[in-house]
Amino acid sequence: MFDSEDVEYIDSGKVLGERNREQKTELAQARKTAKANKDWAAIRSHLEDDRQEFTTADLNSWGYSKNVITRLRKGVIKEVGVKRYVLENI
């Protein structure tokens, strides 16, 4: 049906599947950044200014669970004391 002389093979120089892994990594990073920006904006809406301190009790009253607070501490909020936080600059 096909002659091997008529078919052109393109060599991308990458191992099979490597490009898909790169794309998945880039998409995951983009989703992570978008989620952090969304969380930052949601917390910011409860505060008067970016340097205002808030507590774990405040976060709980705004609907954030213990697990979500742990995730937020990895880039969205910064702990400045025992159960006291401020927003990180994103």
PDB file of all heavy atoms in Angstrom, residues 26-59:
ATOM      1  N   GLU A  26       4.568  21.180  31.861  1.00  0.00           N
ATOM      2  CA  GLU A  26       4.254  22.592  31.644  1.00  0.00           C
ATOM      3  C   GLU A  26       2.802  22.894  31.994  1.00  0.00           C
ATOM      4  O   GLU A  26       2.511  23.919  32.628  1.00  0.00           O
ATOM      5  CB  GLU A  26       4.527  22.976  30.192  1.00  0.00           C
ATOM      6  CG  GLU A  26       5.998  23.016  29.835  1.00  0.00           C
ATOM      7  CD  GLU A  26       6.240  23.209  28.347  1.00  0.00           C
ATOM      8  OE1 GLU A  26       5.261  23.441  27.606  1.00  0.00           O
ATOM      9  OE2 GLU A  26       7.399  23.126  27.930  1.00  0.00           O
ATOM     10  N   LEU A  27       1.883  22.016  31.610  1.00  0.00           N
ATOM     11  CA  LEU A  27       0.474  22.221  31.937  1.00  0.00           C
ATOM     12  C   LEU A  27       0.237  22.148  33.439  1.00  0.00           C
ATOM     13  O   LEU A  27      -0.526  22.937  33.990  1.00  0.00           O
ATOM     14  CB  LEU A  27      -0.400  21.186  31.220  1.00  0.00           C
ATOM     15  CG  LEU A  27      -0.586  21.385  29.726  1.00  0.00           C
ATOM     16  CD1 LEU A  27      -1.328  20.202  29.120  1.00  0.00           C
ATOM     17  CD2 LEU A  27      -1.348  22.669  29.460  1.00  0.00           C
ATOM     18  N   ALA A  28       0.885  21.222  34.109  1.00  0.00           N
ATOM     19  CA  ALA A  28       0.744  21.099  35.560  1.00  0.00           C
ATOM     20  C   ALA A  28       1.251  22.353  36.260  1.00  0.00           C
ATOM     21  O   ALA A  28       0.625  22.846  37.207  1.00  0.00           O
ATOM     22  CB  ALA A  28       1.485  19.867  36.068  1.00  0.00           C
ATOM     23  N   GLN A  29       2.369  22.885  35.793  1.00  0.00           N
ATOM     24  CA  GLN A  29       2.917  24.114  36.380  1.00  0.00           C
ATOM     25  C   GLN A  29       1.982  25.295  36.141  1.00  0.00           C
ATOM     26  O   GLN A  29       1.778  26.120  37.026  1.00  0.00           O
ATOM     27  CB  GLN A  29       4.306  24.405  35.808  1.00  0.00           C
ATOM     28  CG  GLN A  29       4.988  25.606  36.420  1.00  0.00           C
ATOM     29  CD  GLN A  29       5.218  25.452  37.907  1.00  0.00           C
ATOM     30  OE1 GLN A  29       5.537  24.374  38.386  1.00  0.00           O
ATOM     31  NE2 GLN A  29       5.047  26.522  38.644  1.00  0.00           N
ATOM     32  N   ALA A  30       1.404  25.370  34.957  1.00  0.00           N
ATOM     33  CA  ALA A  30       0.470  26.454  34.641  1.00  0.00           C
ATOM     34  C   ALA A  30      -0.775  26.359  35.521  1.00  0.00           C
ATOM     35  O   ALA A  30      -1.269  27.383  36.019  1.00  0.00           O
ATOM     36  CB  ALA A  30       0.083  26.405  33.165  1.00  0.00           C
ATOM     37  N   ARG A  31      -1.291  25.143  35.734  1.00  0.00           N
ATOM     38  CA  ARG A  31      -2.456  24.964  36.607  1.00  0.00           C
ATOM     39  C   ARG A  31      -2.121  25.341  38.046  1.00  0.00           C
ATOM     40  O   ARG A  31      -2.919  25.971  38.736  1.00  0.00           O
ATOM     41  CB  ARG A  31      -2.955  23.521  36.546  1.00  0.00           C
ATOM     42  CG  ARG A  31      -3.774  23.208  35.317  1.00  0.00           C
ATOM     43  CD  ARG A  31      -4.491  21.878  35.444  1.00  0.00           C
ATOM     44  NE  ARG A  31      -3.576  20.756  35.539  1.00  0.00           N
ATOM     45  CZ  ARG A  31      -3.083  20.060  34.523  1.00  0.00           C
ATOM     46  NH1 ARG A  31      -3.433  20.395  33.297  1.00  0.00           N
ATOM     47  NH2 ARG A  31      -2.265  19.054  34.711  1.00  0.00           N
ATOM     48  N   LYS A  32      -0.924  24.969  38.501  1.00  0.00           N
ATOM     49  CA  LYS A  32      -0.501  25.285  39.863  1.00  0.00           C
ATOM     50  C   LYS A  32      -0.414  26.805  40.058  1.00  0.00           C
ATOM     51  O   LYS A  32      -0.867  27.337  41.069  1.00  0.00           O
ATOM     52  CB  LYS A  32       0.849  24.630  40.144  1.00  0.00           C
ATOM     53  CG  LYS A  32       1.360  24.839  41.540  1.00  0.00           C
ATOM     54  CD  LYS A  32       2.681  24.124  41.741  1.00  0.00           C
ATOM     55  CE  LYS A  32       3.230  24.369  43.128  1.00  0.00           C
ATOM     56  NZ  LYS A  32       4.533  23.722  43.323  1.00  0.00           N
ATOM     57  N   THR A  33       0.146  27.495  39.092  1.00  0.00           N
ATOM     58  CA  THR A  33       0.262  28.952  39.160  1.00  0.00           C
ATOM     59  C   THR A  33      -1.111  29.614  39.142  1.00  0.00           C
ATOM     60  O   THR A  33      -1.376  30.545  39.912  1.00  0.00           O
ATOM     61  CB  THR A  33       1.114  29.477  37.996  1.00  0.00           C
ATOM     62  OG1 THR A  33       2.399  28.845  38.057  1.00  0.00           O
ATOM     63  CG2 THR A  33       1.287  30.967  38.050  1.00  0.00           C
ATOM     64  N   ALA A  34      -2.003  29.134  38.286  1.00  0.00           N
ATOM     65  CA  ALA A  34      -3.353  29.694  38.209  1.00  0.00           C
ATOM     66  C   ALA A  34      -4.097  29.485  39.521  1.00  0.00           C
ATOM     67  O   ALA A  34      -4.796  30.387  40.005  1.00  0.00           O
ATOM     68  CB  ALA A  34      -4.121  29.072  37.050  1.00  0.00           C
ATOM     69  N   LYS A  35      -3.943  28.314  40.121  1.00  0.00           N
ATOM     70  CA  LYS A  35      -4.598  28.018  41.402  1.00  0.00           C
ATOM     71  C   LYS A  35      -4.050  28.924  42.499  1.00  0.00           C
ATOM     72  O   LYS A  35      -4.815  29.449  43.315  1.00  0.00           O
ATOM     73  CB  LYS A  35      -4.375  26.545  41.764  1.00  0.00           C
ATOM     74  CG  LYS A  35      -4.950  26.122  43.079  1.00  0.00           C
ATOM     75  CD  LYS A  35      -6.402  25.775  42.951  1.00  0.00           C
ATOM     76  CE  LYS A  35      -6.894  25.176  44.253  1.00  0.00           C
ATOM     77  NZ  LYS A  35      -8.172  25.708  44.629  1.00  0.00           N
ATOM     78  N   ALA A  36      -2.734  29.130  42.534  1.00  0.00           N
ATOM     79  CA  ALA A  36      -2.132  30.003  43.542  1.00  0.00           C
ATOM     80  C   ALA A  36      -2.640  31.431  43.386  1.00  0.00           C
ATOM     81  O   ALA A  36      -2.951  32.097  44.380  1.00  0.00           O
ATOM     82  CB  ALA A  36      -0.609  29.964  43.437  1.00  0.00           C
ATOM     83  N   ASN A  37      -2.738  31.912  42.158  1.00  0.00           N
ATOM     84  CA  ASN A  37      -3.245  33.269  41.917  1.00  0.00           C
ATOM     85  C   ASN A  37      -4.700  33.401  42.353  1.00  0.00           C
ATOM     86  O   ASN A  37      -5.100  34.422  42.916  1.00  0.00           O
ATOM     87  CB  ASN A  37      -3.100  33.653  40.450  1.00  0.00           C
ATOM     88  CG  ASN A  37      -1.666  33.905  40.057  1.00  0.00           C
ATOM     89  OD1 ASN A  37      -0.840  34.253  40.890  1.00  0.00           O
ATOM     90  ND2 ASN A  37      -1.360  33.705  38.794  1.00  0.00           N
ATOM     91  N   LYS A  38      -5.487  32.350  42.098  1.00  0.00           N
ATOM     92  CA  LYS A  38      -6.894  32.359  42.489  1.00  0.00           C
ATOM     93  C   LYS A  38      -7.010  32.370  44.013  1.00  0.00           C
ATOM     94  O   LYS A  38      -7.808  33.129  44.569  1.00  0.00           O
ATOM     95  CB  LYS A  38      -7.588  31.126  41.905  1.00  0.00           C
ATOM     96  CG  LYS A  38      -9.047  31.031  42.208  1.00  0.00           C
ATOM     97  CD  LYS A  38      -9.640  29.788  41.574  1.00  0.00           C
ATOM     98  CE  LYS A  38     -11.084  29.591  41.978  1.00  0.00           C
ATOM     99  NZ  LYS A  38     -11.631  28.346  41.446  1.00  0.00           N
ATOM    100  N   ASP A  39      -6.234  31.536  44.712  1.00  0.00           N
ATOM    101  CA  ASP A  39      -6.248  31.504  46.175  1.00  0.00           C
ATOM    102  C   ASP A  39      -5.798  32.839  46.746  1.00  0.00           C
ATOM    103  O   ASP A  39      -6.384  33.343  47.708  1.00  0.00           O
ATOM    104  CB  ASP A  39      -5.346  30.384  46.703  1.00  0.00           C
ATOM    105  CG  ASP A  39      -5.911  28.998  46.452  1.00  0.00           C
ATOM    106  OD1 ASP A  39      -7.147  28.862  46.386  1.00  0.00           O
ATOM    107  OD2 ASP A  39      -5.107  28.056  46.330  1.00  0.00           O
ATOM    108  N   TRP A  40      -4.752  33.422  46.164  1.00  0.00           N
ATOM    109  CA  TRP A  40      -4.237  34.712  46.623  1.00  0.00           C
ATOM    110  C   TRP A  40      -5.337  35.762  46.525  1.00  0.00           C
ATOM    111  O   TRP A  40      -5.570  36.531  47.451  1.00  0.00           O
ATOM    112  CB  TRP A  40      -3.017  35.105  45.796  1.00  0.00           C
ATOM    113  CG  TRP A  40      -2.333  36.332  46.298  1.00  0.00           C
ATOM    114  CD1 TRP A  40      -1.311  36.387  47.200  1.00  0.00           C
ATOM    115  CD2 TRP A  40      -2.611  37.684  45.930  1.00  0.00           C
ATOM    116  NE1 TRP A  40      -0.928  37.685  47.421  1.00  0.00           N
ATOM    117  CE2 TRP A  40      -1.724  38.512  46.656  1.00  0.00           C
ATOM    118  CE3 TRP A  40      -3.510  38.292  45.086  1.00  0.00           C
ATOM    119  CZ2 TRP A  40      -1.714  39.895  46.548  1.00  0.00           C
ATOM    120  CZ3 TRP A  40      -3.513  39.670  44.977  1.00  0.00           C
ATOM    121  CH2 TRP A  40      -2.617  40.452  45.701  1.00  0.00           C
ATOM    122  N   ALA A  41      -6.018  35.805  45.392  1.00  0.00           N
ATOM    123  CA  ALA A  41      -7.072  36.795  45.174  1.00  0.00           C
ATOM    124  C   ALA A  41      -8.241  36.574  46.135  1.00  0.00           C
ATOM    125  O   ALA A  41      -8.825  37.543  46.641  1.00  0.00           O
ATOM    126  CB  ALA A  41      -7.557  36.748  43.730  1.00  0.00           C
ATOM    127  N   ALA A  42      -8.575  35.318  46.409  1.00  0.00           N
ATOM    128  CA  ALA A  42      -9.687  35.019  47.315  1.00  0.00           C
ATOM    129  C   ALA A  42      -9.362  35.468  48.738  1.00  0.00           C
ATOM    130  O   ALA A  42     -10.208  36.065  49.414  1.00  0.00           O
ATOM    131  CB  ALA A  42      -9.995  33.532  47.292  1.00  0.00           C
ATOM    132  N   ILE A  43      -8.152  35.208  49.194  1.00  0.00           N
ATOM    133  CA  ILE A  43      -7.761  35.638  50.537  1.00  0.00           C
ATOM    134  C   ILE A  43      -7.661  37.162  50.579  1.00  0.00           C
ATOM    135  O   ILE A  43      -8.077  37.797  51.539  1.00  0.00           O
ATOM    136  CB  ILE A  43      -6.438  34.975  50.962  1.00  0.00           C
ATOM    137  CG1 ILE A  43      -6.643  33.470  51.131  1.00  0.00           C
ATOM    138  CG2 ILE A  43      -5.920  35.575  52.262  1.00  0.00           C
ATOM    139  CD1 ILE A  43      -5.363  32.694  51.380  1.00  0.00           C
ATOM    140  N   ARG A  44      -7.111  37.748  49.524  1.00  0.00           N
ATOM    141  CA  ARG A  44      -6.948  39.205  49.448  1.00  0.00           C
ATOM    142  C   ARG A  44      -8.293  39.920  49.569  1.00  0.00           C
ATOM    143  O   ARG A  44      -8.386  40.992  50.137  1.00  0.00           O
ATOM    144  CB  ARG A  44      -6.253  39.573  48.126  1.00  0.00           C
ATOM    145  CG  ARG A  44      -6.118  41.058  47.866  1.00  0.00           C
ATOM    146  CD  ARG A  44      -5.167  41.697  48.869  1.00  0.00           C
ATOM    147  NE  ARG A  44      -5.033  43.114  48.657  1.00  0.00           N
ATOM    148  CZ  ARG A  44      -5.768  44.033  49.282  1.00  0.00           C
ATOM    149  NH1 ARG A  44      -6.685  43.675  50.126  1.00  0.00           N
ATOM    150  NH2 ARG A  44      -5.577  45.312  49.047  1.00  0.00           N
ATOM    151  N   SER A  45      -9.353  39.304  49.072  1.00  0.00           N
ATOM    152  CA  SER A  45     -10.675  39.934  49.124  1.00  0.00           C
ATOM    153  C   SER A  45     -11.178  40.089  50.558  1.00  0.00           C
ATOM    154  O   SER A  45     -12.031  40.938  50.820  1.00  0.00           O
ATOM    155  CB  SER A  45     -11.680  39.132  48.295  1.00  0.00           C
ATOM    156  OG  SER A  45     -11.943  37.882  48.902  1.00  0.00           O
ATOM    157  N   HIS A  46     -10.641  39.304  51.502  1.00  0.00           N
ATOM    158  CA  HIS A  46     -11.047  39.396  52.902  1.00  0.00           C
ATOM    159  C   HIS A  46     -10.214  40.402  53.696  1.00  0.00           C
ATOM    160  O   HIS A  46     -10.551  40.713  54.836  1.00  0.00           O
ATOM    161  CB  HIS A  46     -10.926  38.031  53.583  1.00  0.00           C
ATOM    162  CG  HIS A  46     -11.855  37.001  53.036  1.00  0.00           C
ATOM    163  ND1 HIS A  46     -13.195  36.972  53.345  1.00  0.00           N
ATOM    164  CD2 HIS A  46     -11.644  35.963  52.190  1.00  0.00           C
ATOM    165  CE1 HIS A  46     -13.771  35.959  52.725  1.00  0.00           C
ATOM    166  NE2 HIS A  46     -12.848  35.328  52.015  1.00  0.00           N
ATOM    167  N   LEU A  47      -9.126  40.890  53.118  1.00  0.00           N
ATOM    168  CA  LEU A  47      -8.191  41.741  53.854  1.00  0.00           C
ATOM    169  C   LEU A  47      -8.261  43.186  53.381  1.00  0.00           C
ATOM    170  O   LEU A  47      -8.646  43.466  52.246  1.00  0.00           O
ATOM    171  CB  LEU A  47      -6.763  41.219  53.668  1.00  0.00           C
ATOM    172  CG  LEU A  47      -6.521  39.761  54.054  1.00  0.00           C
ATOM    173  CD1 LEU A  47      -5.094  39.366  53.702  1.00  0.00           C
ATOM    174  CD2 LEU A  47      -6.776  39.547  55.533  1.00  0.00           C
ATOM    175  N   GLU A  48      -7.838  44.090  54.257  1.00  0.00           N
ATOM    176  CA  GLU A  48      -7.790  45.504  53.890  1.00  0.00           C
ATOM    177  C   GLU A  48      -6.544  45.832  53.080  1.00  0.00           C
ATOM    178  O   GLU A  48      -6.582  46.648  52.180  1.00  0.00           O
ATOM    179  CB  GLU A  48      -7.837  46.372  55.149  1.00  0.00           C
ATOM    180  CG  GLU A  48      -9.148  46.255  55.896  1.00  0.00           C
ATOM    181  CD  GLU A  48      -9.132  47.013  57.213  1.00  0.00           C
ATOM    182  OE1 GLU A  48      -8.192  47.790  57.448  1.00  0.00           O
ATOM    183  OE2 GLU A  48     -10.068  46.817  58.001  1.00  0.00           O
ATOM    184  N   ASP A  49      -5.406  45.223  53.428  1.00  0.00           N
ATOM    185  CA  ASP A  49      -4.173  45.417  52.654  1.00  0.00           C
ATOM    186  C   ASP A  49      -3.352  44.131  52.668  1.00  0.00           C
ATOM    187  O   ASP A  49      -3.630  43.215  53.428  1.00  0.00           O
ATOM    188  CB  ASP A  49      -3.347  46.599  53.189  1.00  0.00           C
ATOM    189  CG  ASP A  49      -2.896  46.405  54.625  1.00  0.00           C
ATOM    190  OD1 ASP A  49      -2.375  45.325  54.951  1.00  0.00           O
ATOM    191  OD2 ASP A  49      -3.045  47.342  55.424  1.00  0.00           O
ATOM    192  N   ASP A  50      -2.344  44.064  51.809  1.00  0.00           N
ATOM    193  CA  ASP A  50      -1.559  42.836  51.639  1.00  0.00           C
ATOM    194  C   ASP A  50      -0.738  42.464  52.869  1.00  0.00           C
ATOM    195  O   ASP A  50      -0.398  41.315  53.056  1.00  0.00           O
ATOM    196  CB  ASP A  50      -0.608  42.966  50.439  1.00  0.00           C
ATOM    197  CG  ASP A  50      -1.358  43.039  49.129  1.00  0.00           C
ATOM    198  OD1 ASP A  50      -2.554  42.688  49.114  1.00  0.00           O
ATOM    199  OD2 ASP A  50      -0.747  43.450  48.131  1.00  0.00           O
ATOM    200  N   ARG A  51      -0.362  43.431  53.691  1.00  0.00           N
ATOM    201  CA  ARG A  51       0.483  43.155  54.850  1.00  0.00           C
ATOM    202  C   ARG A  51      -0.325  42.908  56.119  1.00  0.00           C
ATOM    203  O   ARG A  51       0.228  42.741  57.180  1.00  0.00           O
ATOM    204  CB  ARG A  51       1.477  44.302  55.085  1.00  0.00           C
ATOM    205  CG  ARG A  51       2.403  44.561  53.909  1.00  0.00           C
ATOM    206  CD  ARG A  51       3.093  43.353  53.332  1.00  0.00           C
ATOM    207  NE  ARG A  51       3.945  42.656  54.279  1.00  0.00           N
ATOM    208  CZ  ARG A  51       4.427  41.436  54.102  1.00  0.00           C
ATOM    209  NH1 ARG A  51       4.146  40.777  53.010  1.00  0.00           N
ATOM    210  NH2 ARG A  51       5.185  40.882  54.999  1.00  0.00           N
ATOM    211  N   GLN A  52      -1.644  42.909  56.012  1.00  0.00           N
ATOM    212  CA  GLN A  52      -2.484  42.657  57.170  1.00  0.00           C
ATOM    213  C   GLN A  52      -2.338  41.204  57.598  1.00  0.00           C
ATOM    214  O   GLN A  52      -2.351  40.298  56.776  1.00  0.00           O
ATOM    215  CB  GLN A  52      -3.945  42.951  56.834  1.00  0.00           C
ATOM    216  CG  GLN A  52      -4.902  42.727  57.987  1.00  0.00           C
ATOM    217  CD  GLN A  52      -6.335  43.015  57.601  1.00  0.00           C
ATOM    218  OE1 GLN A  52      -6.588  43.560  56.544  1.00  0.00           O
ATOM    219  NE2 GLN A  52      -7.254  42.628  58.448  1.00  0.00           N
ATOM    220  N   GLU A  53      -2.203  40.993  58.894  1.00  0.00           N
ATOM    221  CA  GLU A  53      -2.064  39.632  59.414  1.00  0.00           C
ATOM    222  C   GLU A  53      -3.439  39.002  59.586  1.00  0.00           C
ATOM    223  O   GLU A  53      -4.423  39.678  59.843  1.00  0.00           O
ATOM    224  CB  GLU A  53      -1.342  39.654  60.757  1.00  0.00           C
ATOM    225  CG  GLU A  53       0.112  40.028  60.653  1.00  0.00           C
ATOM    226  CD  GLU A  53       0.835  39.927  61.990  1.00  0.00           C
ATOM    227  OE1 GLU A  53       0.242  39.429  62.973  1.00  0.00           O
ATOM    228  OE2 GLU A  53       1.991  40.348  62.038  1.00  0.00           O
ATOM    229  N   PHE A  54      -3.474  37.693  59.446  1.00  0.00           N
ATOM    230  CA  PHE A  54      -4.686  36.921  59.695  1.00  0.00           C
ATOM    231  C   PHE A  54      -4.278  35.615  60.349  1.00  0.00           C
ATOM    232  O   PHE A  54      -3.110  35.246  60.343  1.00  0.00           O
ATOM    233  CB  PHE A  54      -5.494  36.694  58.411  1.00  0.00           C
ATOM    234  CG  PHE A  54      -4.679  36.169  57.262  1.00  0.00           C
ATOM    235  CD1 PHE A  54      -4.598  34.825  57.005  1.00  0.00           C
ATOM    236  CD2 PHE A  54      -3.998  37.052  56.424  1.00  0.00           C
ATOM    237  CE1 PHE A  54      -3.845  34.349  55.943  1.00  0.00           C
ATOM    238  CE2 PHE A  54      -3.252  36.588  55.362  1.00  0.00           C
ATOM    239  CZ  PHE A  54      -3.169  35.220  55.125  1.00  0.00           C
ATOM    240  N   THR A  55      -5.225  34.922  60.928  1.00  0.00           N
ATOM    241  CA  THR A  55      -4.922  33.723  61.714  1.00  0.00           C
ATOM    242  C   THR A  55      -5.523  32.482  61.066  1.00  0.00           C
ATOM    243  O   THR A  55      -6.291  32.572  60.108  1.00  0.00           O
ATOM    244  CB  THR A  55      -5.492  33.857  63.137  1.00  0.00           C
ATOM    245  OG1 THR A  55      -6.917  33.926  63.051  1.00  0.00           O
ATOM    246  CG2 THR A  55      -4.962  35.094  63.849  1.00  0.00           C
ATOM    247  N   THR A  56      -5.182  31.342  61.654  1.00  0.00           N
ATOM    248  CA  THR A  56      -5.754  30.077  61.195  1.00  0.00           C
ATOM    249  C   THR A  56      -7.267  30.091  61.377  1.00  0.00           C
ATOM    250  O   THR A  56      -8.004  29.591  60.526  1.00  0.00           O
ATOM    251  CB  THR A  56      -5.134  28.898  61.969  1.00  0.00           C
ATOM    252  OG1 THR A  56      -3.718  28.926  61.772  1.00  0.00           O
ATOM    253  CG2 THR A  56      -5.668  27.564  61.485  1.00  0.00           C
ATOM    254  N   ALA A  57      -7.731  30.667  62.462  1.00  0.00           N
ATOM    255  CA  ALA A  57      -9.175  30.760  62.703  1.00  0.00           C
ATOM    256  C   ALA A  57      -9.857  31.577  61.601  1.00  0.00           C
ATOM    257  O   ALA A  57     -10.964  31.233  61.155  1.00  0.00           O
ATOM    258  CB  ALA A  57      -9.447  31.375  64.068  1.00  0.00           C
ATOM    259  N   ASP A  58      -9.196  32.656  61.160  1.00  0.00           N
ATOM    260  CA  ASP A  58      -9.741  33.446  60.049  1.00  0.00           C
ATOM    261  C   ASP A  58      -9.857  32.597  58.792  1.00  0.00           C
ATOM    262  O   ASP A  58     -10.884  32.605  58.105  1.00  0.00           O
ATOM    263  CB  ASP A  58      -8.870  34.669  59.756  1.00  0.00           C
ATOM    264  CG  ASP A  58      -8.877  35.685  60.887  1.00  0.00           C
ATOM    265  OD1 ASP A  58      -9.888  35.768  61.604  1.00  0.00           O
ATOM    266  OD2 ASP A  58      -7.857  36.379  61.037  1.00  0.00           O
ATOM    267  N   LEU A  59      -8.788  31.865  58.476  1.00  0.00           N
ATOM    268  CA  LEU A  59      -8.802  31.015  57.280  1.00  0.00           C
ATOM    269  C   LEU A  59      -9.887  29.958  57.372  1.00  0.00           C
ATOM    270  O   LEU A  59     -10.579  29.672  56.387  1.00  0.00           O
ATOM    271  CB  LEU A  59      -7.429  30.366  57.077  1.00  0.00           C
ATOM    272  CG  LEU A  59      -6.310  31.307  56.635  1.00  0.00           C
ATOM    273  CD1 LEU A  59      -4.961  30.600  56.726  1.00  0.00           C
ATOM    274  CD2 LEU A  59      -6.544  31.808  55.232  1.00  0.00           C
TER     275      LEU A  59
END
